[in-house]
Amino acid sequence: MAGATDLLVHWPIRPEAQDKTYLDLSAISELRPFRWTDVSLHIGALTTYWDILRDPQTRAEFPLLHEAARQVGAIQIQSRGTWAGNIANGSPAADGVPVLLAYDASVVLTSMAGSREIPLREYYTGYRNSVRRSDELITSIILPRRRYDFSVFHKVGARRAQAITKVGIAVTREAGARAANPWRVVASSVAATVRRCPAIEAFLASGALVRVPSDFFASIDADIRPIDDIRSTASYRRTVLARLLYHSLRGVSATVV
Amino acid sequence: MLRIEGLSKLCGAERYLDDEPLEGPLKGCLWGMTVRSPVSRGRIRDIVYGAGFNWSEFVVVTPDDIPGPNETYLIENDQPVLAPGYVRHMHEPVALIAHADRDLLRRALASIRVQVDPEPPVLDFRVPPRPEQIQRGTDNVIKQLRICKGDVEKVFATAPIIVEGEYETGAQEHVYIENNAMAAWIEDGPAGDVVVVRGSMQCPYYVLNAVKHALKRDETRVRIMQSPTGGGFGGKEDYPSTIALHAALLALKAQKPVKIVYDRSEDMAATTKRHPSLVRHKTAVDRNGRLLAQKIEVILDGGAYVTLSPVVLSRGIIHAAGPYSCDHVLIEGRAMLTNSVPYGAFRGFGAPQTIFAVERHMDRIAQKLGISPLEVRRVNLLKDGQTTSTQQTICGGTDRHALLERALGETDYARLLAQAEEFNREHPYLRRGVGIATVLHGAGFTGNGEVYLNSKVDVAGLPDGRLEVLAASTEMGQGTNTVFTRLAADAADYATDDVLVGMPDTFRVPNSGPTVASRTVMVVGKLIERAISDLAAQLGGGGSPLRGKALKDAIIAWHRVNGGGSLKARATYTPPPNVKFDDKKYIGDAYATFAWGVCVAHVEVDLRTAAVRVLHFTSLQDIGKVINPTLARGQVQGGTVQAIGWALSEELKFKDGGMANNSLTNYIIPTSDDVPPIRVLFHENPYEHGGGGAKGVGELPMDGPAPAILNAVAHATGCDPLAIPLTPERLMPLLEATP
């Protein structure tokens, strides 16, 4: 347990949660700082949203981290909640995970047997399931330093603050075409996990013209599996995803007109 | 004047029951919890207490432990205190358990299984029940009411234009800041033991009557005290009777103090909500928009027991025609029994539901005729001398047409409209709109209700010359104590420091009626003034009534002569002259007076997400004389915020008849960031029969915002929303279908 913000919300009324044993990492100060190398940003296991919000360099290089951090809970949660905890909790409605994915982050998992680095896009195996073994801790998150000429993050909640994401997107376009496709599109709350959307990315790179939001539906349907739940409906999530993509990319991508 | 208990609230010195230390009468107190039904309807087969607990350490109460009738005293007494072998709604109380260890109690509660043979529940009040779903009479109708003026059918037969519409509103949870909480203990008294109940409540005498009835005791052996109460909004009108009885039954069985404090999820799931409604309008109009005939059908979801539904329906239908003049009106209302948690009192008490319908309908009439929403209101707003649907002649000197014009002027309405239209031409995905609603709210109990209540207030002269107001009206955050102090000080020409207003305690205060229906300042405030003037006249010995220092000196002198005596004057309610209501035919003066209001909403709709944001809101209210401007503004702003939530985001989601989103995470009330600047304007026209010249202010602010906001959304987007809450999920399909 790091910031414990997911755990403590229901603590008083969930005796079964109290019966478990927890390992409290919060006093291990080595896990708190984040650091820069020439090629990457290393976020510590205990780095909070607030740590990032206070840092001008991350704002300049990874602006979506700031966009997302500002919209997590309220200041109290931002000052306790951690990026690694957001990954570990595994909610499909996570706000930190989409922007990390949009920046092609990887996760360092450490156990007594050593460390391994896993791309975040391969981390989740299903709803609240991941490749992390029970003897492993997330000890850092690595973001490669690349140039982006476009990035956007949208969180759609049921109100303007203190809301859980009903549908969200994080999109980046890498400058200088290092890869064949410069687009990274991430969607949240529309599948069992926060996920990259390869069909939408391919559609954006294909040169096909997008004249109305519904032109995105074919690729959206290939990428996501939204459901009806207590917070929203599958149909709303799908429609909003199309509308957000359309209005965010209109004029940014030459093909979205 | 500063709020009396403001400083102690601000610095945390005032404690809700949950925060009180377990000392004094609560020493050695047990915690109480409630075993609840897991289904919406059925016969209880068994209650299985989990293994692994030493149940002899627990106090367990079942219906057999109730000394008197297993009934919660209210209009029809049909709601049991604990379900007697049969449950009618999810989370219905079935049994009670208590233990000194709260955590252990919580685990023990979770181990209990209530086994029920389910029967087919009614979960949709709009659909006629099937035979196997009938649970009351032949049709599940709790109450049916009718208002008839003129002959609507005759008008419809020849009417040039008819406009119809069907409008729906959802349930709403009160979300008072303090959950329901109650403590009970046993004390010795001269006539035997006394059951003392202390807790969060709006109406101490409702609780007293309920405890007396089910415990078969008289009022000398039951004592009810209010503890500092964190909000009510109607949610602590009738429900506290239930939890008070639960605490009292456990305390009697344990012969120890017992405290029951609901957590948020239990409070949201198990306590009352605002009645969902379906309202149908059929209206005949001429080409200028004049109302020729209004036929209105009002259907409320009453929930599993009668509780307050008949009177909510009554207020609902009386407000259903809006503040308009029409010669031919037929309103038919019914409240339906369903297997939901009983719906109860909530700020506005049926009126916000029917006003939502009529105010949306007026805009749709205007749309159909191609005239402006202002014009259709200008043509129809009541003038003094005209009559309401119950044929009450409106008088009192407030010019509703002038109110409307003032609201339009203050908001620069025409410019707002033009700006919105210009903005919409430019912006790729935001749409702005402006909407209006004109509203009324009857102050005090409906019809002859205030006469039946027969409210009483005592004012005592204390040995040091100060005055004490003795009333059962409760402070719950709205400012009762501050306003009572002001009214008493003004009536006696006293400094406010020389007036005391105590916490209600049924051993000390007479029944001044429930703290509901926007009646406290208007009705009870007037009784305070009368009691003081009686006291002053009494001490003046036939000369002119004493005031100020002379009164104070006379009180001190009286106590010197009558050492140890009690100096009190009592005022009892008398209705204003010429107020008459026939509660069989629903004809006459439904309320002694009405308060009036105009709301203007300015909204922005995001076409990407279908989210509606209220950019600015203006509320102009005629509430008689404003006694405390800060508190009155607070009432209007708070009511507006609560109505914004009801209109846009507060949606109860049900699973198998129970509330599924019973948490503050998933039941979406507005945050400060969702609330616009709210401009509050008052039109002051003193009402001679109200305390300090005031009419009611508590509920009127809840009436206008929802229709004003939806009218603005319709203006912004060109779509036609008819139901609230207008969540993005509900609006998006309408946007998708709008070219």
Side-chain angles (χ1 to χ4, degrees), chain B residues 214-419:
Chain B
L215 264 49
K216 255 170 102 177
R217 286 166 173 255
D218 67 24
E219 61 272 9
T220 64
R221 296 185 58 214
V222 178
R223 179 179 187 182
I224 309 297
M225 294 188 282
Q226 188 210 7
S227 59
T229 297
F233 311 112
K236 293 170 186 169
E237 175 166 352
D238 59 317
Y239 196 83
S241 298
T242 295
I243 182 170
L245 276 164
H246 291 173
L249 288 166
L250 281 168
L252 270 175
K253 183 139 185 195
Q255 290 293 309
K256 280 183 182 172
V258 172
K259 191 160 149 179
I260 301 179
V261 179
Y262 288 174
D263 62 39
R264 184 64 71 179
S265 59
E266 180 176 25
D267 195 292
M268 286 183 128
T271 71
T272 58
K273 313 269 170 275
R274 180 185 298 284
H275 289 72
S277 77
L278 168 66
V279 180
R280 296 192 179 97
H281 273 260
K282 179 177 177 184
T283 313
V285 288
D286 70 14
R287 306 228 165 259
N288 303 318
R290 182 172 301 283
L291 300 172
L292 304 177
Q294 292 173 285
K295 185 177 176 185
I296 306 167
E297 184 186 11
V298 177
I299 310 172
L300 297 182
D301 185 346
Y305 295 103
V306 173
T307 65
L308 293 166
S309 293
V311 270
V312 172
L313 179 68
S314 167
R315 186 176 280 272
I317 62 164
I318 290 170
H319 288 76
Y324 306 111
S325 166
C326 182
D327 291 338
H328 303 273
V329 185
L330 177 65
I331 305 170
E332 289 178 313
R334 58 185 190 275
M336 300 299 299
L337 184 135
T338 63
N339 296 99
S340 302
V341 71
Y343 292 102
F346 196 141
R347 194 179 210 167
F349 211 68
Q353 289 95 317
T354 57
I355 289 175
F356 167 74
V358 70
E359 284 304 291
R360 263 309 278 137
H361 192 63
M362 291 302 277
D363 264 43
R364 296 177 72 243
I365 290 171
Q367 165 103 22
K368 175 138 183 181
L369 296 175
I371 62 176
S372 88
L374 306 179
E375 201 48 38
V376 75
R377 289 176 173 83
R378 284 182 181 129
V379 168
N380 293 297
L381 271 176
L382 281 161
K383 298 190 177 87
D384 268 13
Q386 293 181 321
T387 62
T388 64
S389 59
T390 64
Q391 301 170 48
Q392 172 168 4
T393 304
I394 291 300
C395 52
T398 293
D399 181 345
R400 282 150 295 280
H401 293 260
L403 275 187
L404 174 61
E405 300 309 323
R406 181 179 164 202
L408 299 178
E410 297 263 11
T411 53
D412 209 347
Y413 189 86
R415 214 188 64 188
L416 274 186
L417 278 185
Q419 280 175 346

